[in-house]
Each structure stands twice: as C-alpha cells, then as structure tokens.
Amino acid sequence: MKKKRRINFSTIKKSPITKLTFGSLIAQAIAILISPITTRIYTPEQLGVYTLLLTVVTLFGPVLSAKIEMAIVTEKEEEKIYPIIVLSAIMCIILSIITIILYTIYIIITNQFNKEYILYLIIIFVYLVITGFSNILISYNNRNKDYEIISTVYVIRTIIQNLGLVVFGIMKFSIIGMLISQVVGSLFGLRKQSEKLIPNWNKLKSVKKEDLKKVLKNNYKLILYTTPATLCNSGSYSLINFFITALYGATIFGYYSISFRILGIPLSLVSTNVSKVFFERASNEINQTGKFNNTFKKISLLLLMIAIPMIVLLVLLAPFICKIVFGEEWIIAGQYIQILVFMFGIRLVVSAISPALVIAKKQDVEMKMQITFLVASIMSYLISKHFHLNIYLFLGMISVLYSIIYLVIYIYIYILSKGKEV
C-alpha cells in the first residue's frame, strides 16, 4: 500500500501539469507579493496608462507568428519542424513592424504623440519581437515535453519583471521604468529555452524557400482562421481597456487593471499551462482513436475543481482582500472582481480546452465564435455610452454576455470531443 502511494506521488510529481503549475504558482506568488508594493509606489492613473501602453503587446503578442508556431507541436516528422520555426520567426519580425506602425498611427490620430512616446514605441517594438520569439520557443519546448524549462523560465521572468517595477518605481522612472522592466525580464530564459534547438542551427539555416512555401500550404488554416480568432479573442479584452479609458478615464481604468490582473492569476497559473498539456494529449488521443473525450473529461473535471472554489472565495471576499493587500483606495478593484469573477471562472475552463478547435480542424468555427466576443464588447461600449451607464453596469454587461459565449463554446467542444461532426 505504501509502495503504491509512493508510486502515485511520484507520478504526480512527474506530471507535466504539476511541473507547469508549480512554476506558475511560484511566479504568481512573487507577483502577488510585489503587487502591494507597486500599488503604493504608483498611482491608479500611472498603472492605467502603463497597462494601456502594454495593451498592444497583449493584443498582438499571441499572433505575431500568425499562429504557425502551433504546427511545431502537431508536426509528426522531426525534420519538418525547422521550416516551421524559420517561417514563424520571419512572420514575427514582419508582423511586429506592422503592429508598431499601426500603433504609431493610432497614437498620432488620438493626439497622444510626444517625445516620450518615441521611446515608448521603441521599447514596445522590442518587447513584441521578444514575445514572438518566446512563443516559438515555448511551442518547441512543448513538443519536446520540456515542461520544466517552460516553468523555470516563466518564474525567472516574473521575478525580474516584478523586481524591476519596484526598483524603477523607487527611482521615480515612472512609466518608462515599468516598460523597461517588462522588456528586460522577457529577455531572461531565451537561451535556456533554445538549448536543444541551438545544436540544430545548421538545419535552420539550410531551410529553403520551397520549404517555407510547403509550410504555408500545409498550415494556411492557422493563418486564415486561428490567427483572426485569437486576435478577436485578445481584442475582445484589449478593447475593453480602451473603452473603459474612453468612458470613465485613466484612474478608473487603473482600478480595473488591478482587478483584471488578480482575475488573470488563475488563468496564468492554471489555464495557460493546462492548455499546453491538453493540446499535446488531445492531439495524441485523436490520432489514436479519432476522438479526445477522455482527455476532455479529465481536464474539465480538474479545471472545475479549481474554478468553483475560486468563484465562491472572490465573490465573498474580493473587496476585503484588495483593501488589506493593496490599500484602502483599492477596495474599488475588489468590487469589480465580484462582478467579473463568474465570467473569469468559466473562461478558466474554456480557455484551457480551446485548442480542441485546432485539433478538430474547426478553426473557421473558432474564428466565428471569437468574433462574437468582439461584437459583445463593442455592443456593451455603445450601450453604456448612449445610456451613460456607470462602470458597474458596463462590467456587469460584459460579464453576462461573455459567460454565455463561453458556455456555448464549451458545449460545442464537448460534442467535438466525442468524434461527432457538428
């Protein structure tokens, strides 16, 4: 009996979910410990402006390689992954340039452009490129089941970024310091992530144009469907940042940014990591059996066991927690959390299993579903603006509409997991 328990415990320790989640737990613990300091160093307005500037990375970061890097995980033949990596890197640089040009145009049109913004834009461009390359390496690590590397790098980056926020804040570097801390932190770990790839450098250099064309031909659905869907998904949340700032100002947005950050912790801690494992296991299951319902059930149960207690805890205690942790004035952020937590609980579950749409080759459906998030956010903004609704009603509308969409997506994936055509 004891031997059996030891074996089970050993299995748990070796589990990829355990490895990824443990690293994220450490990283998020660091972020939580640092947050009470940053909320006392920076004003809600400064945090709001900083978050709004980083929104461009949040919005475009996940699609900088046009999602081609996902094929690194699913490609069966080892030799064929090198053209995928090269094309992903090329797309990253091109799309980073396009993104920063579009963002510059936006800054000019909205009359925000000044000398400081030149430096802001340079820093953000560098951050975009590093983010894109990191995404590629994460896919490569995921393919090789190097979950410890993914976890370790995440922890190191979080430590550097959060310590940077404190140091630059004490030195009164304000928003510039906050941005630099993110970029510097994101550089750490790139070499560690590419340890297994570096010996194959010659294979990367030997990739020809014909190889790149084949990658495009074989993975065009990732570009045509998954990329817009992911952009719509990130856009549906990123646009809320702009909407709140436009409707209620930078200070209110600062409070919202903290509530969003707190609610994002379970997503970073659990959903993002579980998603990587789900993608790998569900891909294997569907290749072997033609369906992935076993993986779907196990992962869903695990996520529900985390989401339900999270919802109950934050509904009851969020304002009190924010008051104690961040300071008296941040109790407002806790009130926002109470409104949004149910939606974030559903999102935690659905986000982790969303790669199922790629596995089932339903990228077109994914895009259509994600567009509904975008429509819901725009509709909420227009209604709130027209009827002069307060921030609580605006967030309530977002929470209800998004929750309904997430539930529809979950039911759809459940049907797909049984191998049924929808």
Side-chain angles (χ1 to χ4, degrees):
M1 187 71 177
K2 289 182 179 179
K3 185 178 180 181
K4 185 177 180 181
R5 286 179 180 176
R6 283 198 297 271
I7 293 172
N8 289 338
F9 182 69
S10 176
T11 302
I12 291 171
K13 287 198 297 180
K14 292 178 181 179
S15 166
I17 293 178
T18 302
K19 291 176 182 178
L20 292 170
T21 304
F22 183 69
S24 294
L25 179 62
I26 296 173
Q28 293 303 324
I30 293 165
I32 292 170
L33 290 172
I34 295 296
S35 290
I37 302 174
T38 55
T39 53
R40 288 168 171 82
I41 293 176
Y42 303 102
T43 66
E45 184 177 1
Q46 286 176 323
L47 287 169
V49 173
Y50 159 70
T51 305
L52 201 62
L53 285 167
L54 284 187
T55 296
V56 67
V57 181
T58 306
L59 177 58
F60 295 104
V63 298
L64 286 172
S65 294
K67 301 308 290 182
I68 294 172
E69 80 279 0
M70 294 185 74
I72 297 172
V73 181
T74 57
E75 177 56 54
K76 296 178 182 179
E77 298 180 37
E78 185 68 22
E79 292 301 314
K80 290 185 178 180
I81 68 168
Y82 301 107
I84 299 173
I85 294 172
V86 172
L87 184 60
S88 298
I90 292 172
M91 293 298 292
C92 172
I93 295 171
I94 292 172
L95 291 179
S96 293
I97 293 171
I98 293 173
T99 298
I100 209 65
I101 290 172
L102 293 174
Y103 194 54
T104 303
I105 293 171
Y106 165 78
I107 296 297
I108 293 172
I109 291 174
T110 53
N111 296 317
Q112 299 180 58
F113 193 82
N114 54 42
K115 291 181 179 180
E116 281 188 338
Y117 265 94
I118 295 175
L119 186 54
Y120 292 162
L121 292 169
I122 293 171
I123 295 172
I124 291 171
F125 173 72
V126 173
Y127 195 16
L128 283 167
V129 174
I130 295 171
T131 300
F133 284 177
S134 180
N135 290 341
I136 296 169
L137 291 172
I138 286 173
S139 289
Y140 184 74
N141 297 150
N142 196 16
R143 176 185 178 84
N144 292 301
K145 297 181 174 61
D146 290 328
Y147 303 114
E148 288 185 7
I149 290 177
I150 296 174
S151 180
T152 302
V153 168
Y154 184 52
V155 172
I156 292 171
R157 285 176 180 163
T158 303
I159 292 172
I160 300 300
Q161 288 171 339
N162 281 276
L163 288 178
L165 286 175
V166 175
V167 173
F168 285 121
I170 293 173
M171 295 172 66
K172 305 297 182 183
F173 272 64
S174 189
I175 297 168
I176 288 289
M178 298 168 86
L179 293 174
I180 292 174
S181 68
Q182 295 301 303
V183 174
V184 172
S186 66
L187 284 170
F188 282 82
L190 286 178
R191 184 172 181 81
K192 183 70 175 176
Q193 285 181 287
S194 56
E195 274 183 352
K196 290 184 179 179
L197 188 60
I198 292 173
N200 296 302
W201 181 249
N202 289 331
K203 293 181 180 179
L204 293 172
K205 290 196 297 182
S206 64
V207 170
K208 300 176 182 178
K209 289 183 180 179
E210 290 75 17
D211 299 323
L212 299 179
K213 289 178 181 178
K214 286 181 182 178
V215 173
L216 280 173
K217 183 179 179 180
N218 294 334
N219 299 283
Y220 72 94
K221 284 189 176 182
L222 290 172
I223 300 173
L224 292 180
Y225 300 121
T226 306
T227 296
T230 304
L231 190 59
C232 286
N233 187 31
S234 59
S236 62
Y237 283 97
S238 298
L239 280 178
I240 292 174
N241 295 351
F242 293 103
F243 291 158
I244 292 177
T245 304
L247 289 170
Y248 311 109
T251 300
I252 291 294
F253 174 64
Y255 292 124
Y256 167 79
S257 68
I258 287 295
S259 68
F260 188 86
R261 189 184 305 175
I262 295 301
L263 288 168
I265 289 173
L267 290 172
S268 299
L269 177 63
V270 178
S271 188
T272 303
N273 294 322
V274 173
S275 177
K276 295 181 181 71
V277 177
F278 174 84
F279 188 33
E280 189 264 330
R281 289 185 176 179
S283 295
N284 290 335
E285 186 180 350
I286 199 169
N287 287 335
Q288 294 172 9
T289 67
K291 53 187 179 180
F292 55 93
N293 59 318
N294 286 332
T295 302
F296 175 86
K297 289 177 183 177
K298 289 177 182 178
I299 296 297
S300 291
L301 181 61
L302 170 66
L303 293 167
L304 286 171
M305 289 172 64
I306 297 169
I308 293 172
M310 179 196 78
I311 293 171
V312 174
L313 176 67
L314 292 179
V315 165
L316 296 175
L317 299 174
F320 175 75
I321 292 171
C322 287
K323 177 182 176 181
I324 298 299
V325 175
F326 303 119
E328 184 75 31
E329 65 177 324
W330 293 96
I331 193 172
I332 297 172
Q335 295 168 353
Y336 296 168
I337 289 173
Q338 288 178 310
I339 298 171
L340 296 168
V341 67
F342 181 75
M343 180 266 287
F344 268 83
I346 301 174
R347 182 188 176 194
L348 184 147
V349 177
V350 177
S351 294
I353 62 171
S354 61
L357 297 172
V358 175
I359 295 167
K361 302 187 186 303
K362 294 291 183 180
Q363 291 94 330
D364 55 332
V365 175
E366 181 185 18
M367 184 177 69
K368 292 172 184 176
M369 287 182 171
Q370 296 299 346
I371 286 173
T372 59
F373 285 110
L374 203 60
V375 172
S377 66
I378 294 172
M379 186 172 68
S380 299
Y381 166 73
L382 293 174
I383 292 173
S384 297
K385 184 176 182 181
H386 181 76
F387 292 102
H388 304 288
L389 302 181
N390 61 38
I391 181 65
Y392 297 101
L393 292 174
F394 172 77
L395 294 178
M397 201 182 321
I398 290 288
S399 185
V400 171
L401 292 175
Y402 278 33
S403 295
I404 293 171
I405 297 169
Y406 278 125
L407 285 172
V408 171
I409 295 173
Y410 183 83
I411 293 169
Y412 185 81
I413 293 175
Y414 168 70
I415 296 171
L416 289 177
S417 72
K418 293 185 173 183
K420 296 180 180 179
E421 191 65 33
V422 184

